[in-house]
Amino acid sequence: MYKVRTYNQISVKGLERFPRQSYEVGSDIGHPDAFLLRSQKLQGVEVPASLVAAARAGAGVNNIPVADYSKQGIVVFNTPGANANAVKELVMAGMLLATRGILPGMAYVQSLTHLTDAAEMSALLEKEKAPFAGGEIKGKTLGIVGLGAIGSMVAEMALAMGMKVVGFDPALSIDAAWRLSNEVTRMENLATLLARSDYVSLHVPAMDATRHLISADALAGIKPGAVLLNFARETIVDSAAVQRSLDAGRLGRYVCDFPEPAMLGHAKVIAMPHIGASTEESEENCAVMAANQLMDYLEHGNITNSVNFPAVRMERTPGATRITFSNDNVAGVLGQVLSVLAERQVNVIDMMNKSRGELAYNVIDIDGVADPGVIATIERLAHVIRVRVV
């Protein structure tokens, strides 16, 4: 029986993925094999010795101590792309809110409670509507920083709306490149993108390399009057620099999903309450994907969408026993494990070895049953982090 401890409110559709006959799932599960969570901060939370995986139903994993988990051989999963459509649609809403006088216009209408005559109200609105007219996004240039699952969908949407799209992503993967329309013009650097874009939408992860990516220096070269949209993470933007740029008239508007006290009430800021992925469909998609990834790992040792371990998938050999192990990515570890198996006359049917940074992960299918003594010997080998029989 596998045990999964949940944090936060996980979509029922995700929880229903776990077969009741082989999984125990709940918020008070003891000795869990896995954590399933959304925004719960795990820093400082005791790590059970039984824990082998943690899945975040969402893209960001800054609420999980990934480095600490890696040292213990705990695979951390996220769900990239599962909430992409929800974020994409909110980006479009943000661009329209920043371009047309929708919010001030609506506020003005709601202020007319003293009027009781419909004809009088209609005449007044016709007279006073000019300040709320705004412009159109068709024909404007959208610069997308980060062309992954969300960024590529935003690009496709913008092209469909008649916009020109330029993009910058120094870490663009092959899969992301295939998803990207050939109508998107790749920029060589951030400065060039900022100088050309009427709108700039950020879609990069929060990490040391992206902290304050949008800095005072970057904003000094942004196209005058441009709209900056941040539906990625708050740390990507230097909010104090953004406010200075808005006040100086360089940056036209700032639309974000991460309000800060200093920006409240600013006429050029449109702040939303962190609702980028908060749709029913998005939460369901994230929960289902996270559950599927956990089950595939717990039952078969396969890894998909991990942020700390390599992607590994190997079909199971009928009748075989599967051993998986993680280790420090140094030379000779796999050879030592294979030597242990050979010395005990254990026949290896199939195997796969992959590495990612300082970690390596291995899947080995063997004939017969895995002898506990063999597993214990492998666990004692230098640089082996964790061994599982699945």
Side-chain angles (χ1 to χ4, degrees), residues 233-373:
R233 282 291 183 268
E234 62 270 34
T235 57
I236 296 167
V237 169
D238 181 344
S239 58
V242 164
Q243 189 162 347
R244 289 194 298 270
S245 185
L246 290 170
D247 293 341
R250 182 77 184 190
L251 185 62
R253 286 189 182 277
Y254 180 49
V255 185
C256 71
D257 208 16
F258 313 99
E260 294 187 28
M263 291 190 174
L264 298 184
H266 198 294
K268 295 181 179 180
V269 175
I270 299 174
M272 303 178 191
H274 202 185
I275 57 173
S278 297
T279 65
E280 182 178 345
E281 296 87 348
S282 172
E283 292 178 6
E284 289 177 354
N285 292 341
C286 288
V288 168
M289 182 183 289
N292 288 342
Q293 291 168 178
L294 277 181
M295 288 191 293
D296 199 20
Y297 177 68
L298 293 175
E299 297 175 25
H300 305 294
N302 293 324
I303 298 178
T304 305
N305 291 329
S306 170
V307 300
N308 58 340
F309 276 84
V312 175
R313 172 168 296 278
M314 191 172 88
E315 292 298 319
R316 297 208 68 144
T317 306
T321 295
R322 174 161 291 185
I323 300 171
T324 71
F325 70 93
S326 55
N327 60 275
D328 298 323
N329 187 20
V330 297
V333 180
L334 177 58
Q336 293 180 58
V337 172
L338 294 177
S339 293
V340 170
L341 296 176
E343 289 170 3
R344 301 295 184 91
Q345 297 185 333
V346 177
N347 183 41
V348 174
I349 303 172
D350 198 2
M351 63 171 291
M352 182 174 289
N353 164 263
K354 292 286 184 70
S355 63
R356 178 175 179 176
E358 298 179 351
L359 297 172
Y361 182 73
N362 310 264
V363 180
I364 302 176
D365 282 355
I366 63 170
D367 264 336
V369 178
D371 182 273

Side-chain angles (χ1 to χ4, degrees), residues 367-381:
D367 264 336
V369 178
D371 182 273
V374 172
I375 300 304
T377 300
I378 295 173
E379 288 176 333
R380 288 193 296 268
L381 292 174

Side-chain angles (χ1 to χ4, degrees), residues 5 7 35 40-48 65 69:
R5 181 186 296 171
Y7 292 91
F35 287 162
Q40 172 72 33
K41 292 187 179 299
L42 295 182
Q43 286 84 355
V45 174
E46 182 181 356
V47 180
Y69 279 22

Side-chain angles (χ1 to χ4, degrees), residues 87-97 137 157-158 161:
V87 178
K88 175 200 78 175
E89 292 184 1
L90 201 59
V91 170
M92 175 55 69
M95 285 197 291
L96 294 174
L97 290 174
I137 63 175
M157 172 190 66
M161 294 293 287

